[in-house]
Amino acid sequence: MNGGLLVAGTTSDAGKSVVTAGICRWLVRQGVKVAPFKAQNMSLNSFVTREGAEIGRAQAMQAQACRIEPTALMNPVLLKPGGEQSSQVVLLGKPVGEMSARGYHGGRRQRLLGTVLDCLAELRGQYDAVICEGAGSPAEINLRRTDIVNMGIARGARLPVLVVGDIDRGGVFASFFGTLALLSPEDQELVAGFLVNKFRGDVSLLEPGLDMLKDLTGRPAYGVLPFRHGLGIDEEDGLRVSLRGAVRESAVAPPLGADVLRVAVCAIPLMSNFTDVDALAAEPGVVVRFVDRPEELADADLVIVPGTRGTVRALRWLRERGLADALARRAAEHRPVLGICGGFQILGEHIEDDVESRAGAVPGLGLLPVRVRFAREKTLTRPTGRALGEPVGGYEIHHGVAEVTGGEAFLDGCRVGQTWGTHWHGSLESDGFRRAFLREVAAAAGRRFVPAPDTSFAALREEQLDRLGDLIEQHADTDALWRLIESGAPQGLPFIPPGAPA
């Protein structure tokens, strides 16, 4: 078997990442050696592979669904927005510069098609099947000429295409038909059919519409996936924290102690790797919320300043909103504050940034004895160590180089009283370390909170991926899906006018 499939969507957030992960987990449970692939990803949530390459977190989770290690081949192009009109371009896991949207779509993007096709071909040489994820919609007619992630990759690699639509938003039939009808005849030849996502209610009421859609397009629906609370993998962007939602909605275990622990996460601009807080929210009795006003910090037992793609911009935002003063008051009162990556840099005394914002010398909040200088070379590592008497691991993604001049050692950073800072993302996924940290926070906050002794974040992730595999196995036409992956799009699929504009 040397199969492949492109999972496209009628819109962003239609469920492409989830469906791709679900198909991967279903296939691996059938004994298929499978890998994920996304030619181009735009996300501020990223991950570091073992070889020190930066890729999107969604592809890292999809690799986990395949039970394999993620590599740069699985996401050769990653765009990390730094503002409204520019992004850092990460190619094969390493940053190669900043580029405006016009500059990227004006020529650079199309020149990368050969690179991404080579990566896909290499993966297909190593695995029985490669399940590819598209981006946005394949019918973005203004971008089709330079497309390397939807029909461009499908055409280049002759991949069959499955179009996913979110029926919970409404208008799914029009979205399916319109998506197909805006593609060229050559692109339409590869679109094999549709998959309905997030359906609520009686499927028999939907079936007449699916029959009509097949009559109109000559293409079947490959399944109707029901709406399930908390199903998802690490999000690309936005404020949804997928695993937190899943655990919060499905866990029935009450807090072990008499009190809950309240965690407030500052929703700073260009927030990155907010998935760091998933592991906290997986703990029974921990309530996590995102905040953007100083009064929302008042009842928090722990405040987290997360990572950001724009440290200086986020620092300015905290000052403008009054959150900087609220954080300073918390630190003076010995109430817990944790800064992660960009948040750690913000808590320091001084920032010298001629790389990211080009703002030069900027004073930090002065809550930790740290001076930060931005280097052009990005740090991309997977460190391990011990802290609070427990083993801990994480990953680092940052240009800022921190010089710690005092305080007590904490991972790669430091702590002063109850103010903590580190560049390590993912450290809270280490179960023993997370519980030790929460015990310190609870004691400082005066809360009778007790961490559960048996919460395994890794096991919760595996459970989540198995639920996605179950969704495909139970609600998709897996026989038809198997034929599609193995043999490609059926021959003789009809053209639906008008097709793509000239």
Side-chain angles (χ1 to χ4, degrees):
M1 182 180 184
N2 183 19
L5 175 70
L6 175 70
V7 178
T10 56
T11 62
S12 295
D13 203 33
K16 297 183 292 291
S17 297
V18 166
V19 169
T20 300
I23 293 173
C24 286
R25 179 49 62 100
W26 162 65
L27 283 172
V28 82
R29 294 195 305 208
Q30 309 308 308
V32 177
K33 188 180 177 185
V34 60
F37 180 80
K38 185 163 185 173
Q40 173 198 291
N41 199 344
M42 177 173 279
S43 179
L44 288 173
N45 285 336
S46 57
F47 183 75
V48 179
T49 67
R50 281 185 176 172
E51 69 267 28
E54 184 180 8
I55 65 171
R57 277 199 65 91
Q59 280 61 66
M61 288 295 291
Q62 288 163 355
Q64 186 173 340
C66 298
R67 298 184 178 138
I68 58 176
E69 274 292 318
T71 71
L73 292 174
M74 297 170 186
N75 180 206
V77 181
L78 173 64
L79 305 178
K80 302 193 73 175
E84 295 298 321
Q85 297 185 1
S86 68
S87 294
Q88 182 181 66
V89 181
V90 179
L91 180 61
L92 294 173
K94 303 296 180 183
V96 295
E98 296 280 335
M99 188 167 289
S100 69
R102 180 176 292 277
Y104 183 66
H105 290 287
R108 178 64 182 271
R109 179 175 177 172
Q110 193 171 27
R111 292 197 296 272
L112 292 172
L113 180 59
T115 300
V116 302
L117 285 172
D118 287 346
C119 291
L120 177 57
E122 189 169 344
L123 282 175
R124 295 185 81 177
Q126 297 173 10
Y127 293 90
D128 300 329
V130 178
I131 308 303
C132 307
E133 179 188 343
S137 162
E140 292 168 346
I141 53 178
N142 56 314
L143 302 177
R144 176 61 186 92
R145 182 178 62 84
T146 59
D147 172 44
I148 65 169
V149 67
N150 290 305
M151 300 312 300
I153 198 78
R155 285 268 291 277
R158 301 308 298 172
L159 292 171
V161 178
L162 182 67
V163 180
V164 177
D166 179 359
I167 197 170
D168 197 48
R169 294 183 172 190
V172 74
F173 291 116
S175 297
F176 281 145
F177 186 88
T179 296
L180 183 65
L182 283 176
L183 300 180
S184 69
E186 296 80 7
D187 286 350
Q188 288 194 24
E189 287 177 3
L190 295 172
V191 179
F194 312 102
L195 186 72
V196 178
N197 192 27
K198 300 182 186 177
F199 179 72
R200 305 172 190 252
D202 185 347
V203 176
S204 66
L205 299 177
L206 187 67
E207 287 171 349
L210 299 177
D211 293 338
M212 294 178 207
L213 183 67
K214 184 176 181 181
D215 291 341
L216 286 166
T217 66
R219 293 159 173 86
Y222 281 73
V224 178
L225 307 185
F227 186 96
R228 291 285 187 267
H229 284 291
L231 277 183
I233 61 174
D234 291 3
E235 303 286 350
E236 291 186 351
D237 282 307
L239 282 183
R240 287 175 302 279
V241 183
S242 56
L243 188 57
R244 177 194 62 165
V247 174
R248 182 182 56 195
E249 292 163 0
S250 63
V252 294
L256 267 68
D259 293 334
V260 298
L261 209 61
R262 296 173 176 83
V263 179
V265 184
C266 295
I268 55 180
L270 299 174
M271 183 169 52
S272 62
N273 287 69
F274 57 80
T275 47
D276 283 331
V277 303
D278 279 1
L280 291 179
E283 289 283 350
V286 175
V287 179
V288 179
R289 68 182 188 274
F290 290 90
V291 303
D292 60 5
R293 296 181 299 180
E295 54 269 26
E296 292 178 296
L297 306 189
D299 66 344
D301 302 306
L302 169 66
V303 174
I304 295 178
V305 186
T308 173
R309 172 78 168 85
T311 299
V312 171
R313 176 177 169 182
L315 179 57
R316 186 185 311 118
W317 180 87
L318 288 167
R319 287 185 165 126
E320 289 171 351
R321 294 216 163 214
L323 285 159
D325 290 339
L327 288 167
R329 287 193 296 271
R330 285 188 67 90
E333 295 166 359
H334 299 286
R335 302 177 66 199
V337 176
L338 171 64
I340 302 175
C341 200
F344 168 41
Q345 298 165 8
I346 285 169
L347 299 182
E349 297 170 341
H350 180 83
I351 297 170
E352 190 75 31
D353 181 11
D354 294 318
V355 176
E356 190 176 78
S357 68
R358 297 180 176 84
V362 178
L365 297 187
L367 307 184
L368 289 174
V370 176
R371 299 178 69 84
V372 176
R373 175 186 57 83
F374 274 67
R376 297 198 177 278
E377 188 75 16
K378 182 184 281 192
T379 298
L380 295 167
T381 62
R382 292 264 293 268
T384 59
R386 292 187 67 86
L388 305 180
E390 298 286 347
V392 58
Y395 57 99
E396 295 185 48
I397 306 171
H398 55 90
H399 284 279
V401 178
E403 178 189 2
V404 179
T405 60
E408 180 183 341
F410 174 65
L411 301 177
D412 70 316
C414 65
R415 65 176 290 192
V416 173
Q418 291 301 321
T419 302
W420 316 61
T422 177
H423 274 129
W424 290 21
H425 293 291
S427 63
L428 295 167
E429 295 177 18
S430 299
D431 298 327
F433 168 75
R434 181 181 65 253
R435 287 191 277 270
F437 178 69
L438 289 176
R439 281 193 290 269
E440 289 240 7
V441 168
R447 297 290 186 189
R448 293 171 297 168
F449 169 84
V450 178
D454 55 354
T455 300
S456 168
F457 189 70
L460 287 169
R461 273 211 167 125
E462 276 297 301
E463 177 187 309
Q464 186 83 332
L465 294 169
D466 276 331
R467 291 176 68 202
L468 295 178
D470 292 344
L471 200 69
I472 297 298
E473 190 168 334
Q474 295 167 10
H475 300 283
D477 185 344
T478 52
D479 289 340
L481 201 56
W482 186 280
R483 289 193 299 271
L484 189 61
I485 293 168
E486 191 172 34
S487 304
Q491 297 296 308
L493 292 170
F495 169 69
I496 304 302

